[in-house]
Amino acid sequence: MAVARGEIWFAPGVRMVDLDFNDFRFLVDAFRRRVEGFFLDPIDALRGMQPAESGLFVSVLACAATIEFLSTIESPSRDQDRIKSWLEAHVPQFREAFGSKTLAQFFEERYRHHLAHKAYISLGRLGDFDGIVQVDGGAVTVNPFALSRALRSWLVRFSDDLCEGRRDARAFCHVLRPLFEPEVELARAEQATV
């Protein structure tokens, strides 16, 4: 969790001790603020980094982490190929075939796993161009800034769907509770001893 100014934060402006799993609207707002404030807003800030290539690698890793988190919240039972499945369902550009795989599968293997664990993307490139993903011969280029905008659009729709009853609010709360309740309880216990 983020620790700043002597507090543990669930999201920017939302202290861990204040997280209430029974206040559905507050929880949806806090969730959205978490994804935007800890992941998507920093990606936007990295776009302005100089030299221009400096922010690309961190941005695509933040996109992969965001997708992994969003897919966990949306479909908690799906364990394997989580990023691939989510991208194919929600970002149509990643449904395209690339050899025997989809671009979504290539992204999960190369951009998520290879970059995170081996610090490189074999046959994968990063750039800031019009569009989210493009194939040029044997290489795939991803624009993490455009992908981040697609993630933000999905987040807005997901939040709206929860608040307007088009998605199951209880299921959403049920997924968040085991992920964060131990941190909430610890933060409250620590606050009580101060």
Side-chain angles (χ1 to χ4, degrees):
M1 295 304 115
V3 179
R5 301 175 305 283
E7 296 280 354
I8 302 170
W9 299 91
F10 175 78
V14 181
R15 297 179 321 153
M16 192 63 74
V17 297
D18 297 329
L19 204 61
D20 183 353
F21 296 103
N22 297 312
D23 184 343
F24 166 69
R25 292 207 180 267
F26 175 79
L27 197 58
V28 171
D29 180 62
F31 166 75
R32 185 170 168 178
R33 289 169 74 172
R34 179 182 182 82
V35 174
E36 288 175 338
F38 287 162
F39 297 95
L40 302 178
D41 293 345
I43 292 169
D44 290 346
L46 287 167
R47 187 175 193 191
M49 236 179 129
Q50 292 300 319
E53 63 273 16
S54 294
L56 291 167
F57 281 86
V58 172
S59 294
V60 81
L61 281 173
C63 283
T66 304
I67 294 165
E68 204 158 4
F69 180 54
L70 296 178
S71 68
T72 298
I73 299 304
E74 184 185 37
S75 301
S77 63
R78 188 182 341 158
D79 291 330
Q80 293 185 326
D81 302 325
R82 180 175 298 284
I83 291 173
K84 170 196 171 291
S85 299
W86 194 93
L87 280 171
E88 288 175 353
H90 301 294
V91 185
Q93 296 87 336
F94 282 95
R95 294 178 194 144
E96 182 181 328
F98 182 70
S100 62
K101 303 174 182 182
T102 64
L103 290 174
Q105 187 174 5
F106 186 87
F107 181 90
E108 183 166 30
E109 290 174 3
R110 304 292 175 95
Y111 289 86
R112 165 55 177 96
H113 298 300
H114 285 196
L115 183 56
H117 301 293
K118 299 177 184 177
Y120 77 94
I121 312 165
S122 177
L123 301 177
R125 299 176 182 156
L126 296 164
D128 191 357
F129 54 90
D130 290 336
I132 294 175
V133 61
Q134 62 187 23
V135 177
D136 184 19
V140 175
T141 305
V142 171
N143 177 347
F145 309 117
L147 179 54
S148 174
R149 288 189 297 274
L151 299 178
R152 190 180 299 271
S153 294
W154 182 88
L155 179 64
V156 169
R157 285 190 308 276
F158 182 76
S159 299
D160 289 348
D161 286 351
L162 282 168
C163 289
E164 294 171 14
R166 292 186 295 268
R167 285 188 180 260
D168 186 353
R170 287 180 296 158
F172 170 74
C173 295
H174 181 74
V175 171
L176 279 184
R177 185 181 295 270
L179 294 175
F180 296 101
E181 192 168 46
E183 286 286 347
V184 170
E185 290 174 3
L186 181 60
R188 288 179 181 158
E190 290 172 348
Q191 185 182 45
T193 62
V194 174

